Amino acid sequence: RDGAIAIAQYLPSTHKQKDKFTLRFTLSESEIFSTIPKEVSDAFRLAKIMRHHSICPRIAAIEIDFYITTYILKNCLLTALDKDKSLENNNNQLDDCEHMEKVLVWARKFYENLELSLENGCLNSFFLENNLLLDERYTKPEYKKQALAYASIIKTLLTPYTD
């Protein structure tokens, strides 16, 4: 977080929204992603893939990407990494099975983090801790319920089957 570079981007008004600015942390995010373990970056790709309509069934009139954006998932990843200190100096070589198990654990962590944030109505930006990422979509009970349902479905799909 320290030394993060933010780039302000102007977003012109549309028929539904007023002019606004957004902050991009692309350089900082790229630097972080270049240093994380392969199982975590693979888990992020898996977490994004899980939102695809051919994997996660559609439960609402609105697509899942409306509820669970890549940016929100990225913040869930960064928050999970920040909480988990077990990755420091962990250069262990994993076989394919161990790697996939860790990928699943991390992908579930992202969705668990998202679920908890939705339930609390609060998902802070990783780089700007005092700024919330959950907008009016998540304050309406029906949207919050659908976002939680999507997160729960995906978390369940990521849970290995055991007898």
Side-chain angles (χ1 to χ4, degrees), residues 83-95:
K83 289 178 184 174
D84 193 315
K85 304 302 179 195
S86 68
L87 289 174
E88 293 174 4
N89 302 321
N90 185 6
N91 294 327
N92 298 339
Q93 293 289 39
L94 303 172
D95 66 34

Side-chain angles (χ1 to χ4, degrees), residues 69-88:
T69 65
T70 298
Y71 188 69
I72 284 177
L73 272 181
K74 197 178 296 181
N75 271 274
C76 289
L77 171 144
L78 294 170
T79 303
L81 278 173
D82 198 42
K83 289 178 184 174
D84 193 315
K85 304 302 179 195
S86 68
L87 289 174
E88 293 174 4

Side-chain angles (χ1 to χ4, degrees), residues 47-59 63-64 68 111 146 149-155 157:
K48 285 180 9 180
I49 290 167
M50 294 303 294
R51 298 174 310 155
H52 194 273
H53 62 84
S54 66
I55 296 172
C56 185
R58 188 172 181 164
I59 60 169
E63 292 291 331
I64 190 172
I68 305 174
Y111 281 99
Q146 291 167 354
Y150 275 130
S152 180
I153 288 169
I154 292 173
K155 203 173 72 172
L157 291 171

Side-chain angles (χ1 to χ4, degrees), residues 20-57:
K20 64 180 181 178
F21 282 90
T22 186
L23 293 175
R24 304 275 182 209
F25 294 93
T26 307
L27 297 173
S28 301
E29 290 170 357
S30 296
E31 182 61 30
I32 290 170
F33 270 82
S34 72
T35 62
I36 62 176
K38 183 167 175 22
E39 63 265 19
V40 178
S41 60
D42 287 350
F44 181 65
R45 283 192 282 286
L46 176 61
K48 285 180 9 180
I49 290 167
M50 294 303 294
R51 298 174 310 155
H52 194 273
H53 62 84
S54 66
I55 296 172
C56 185

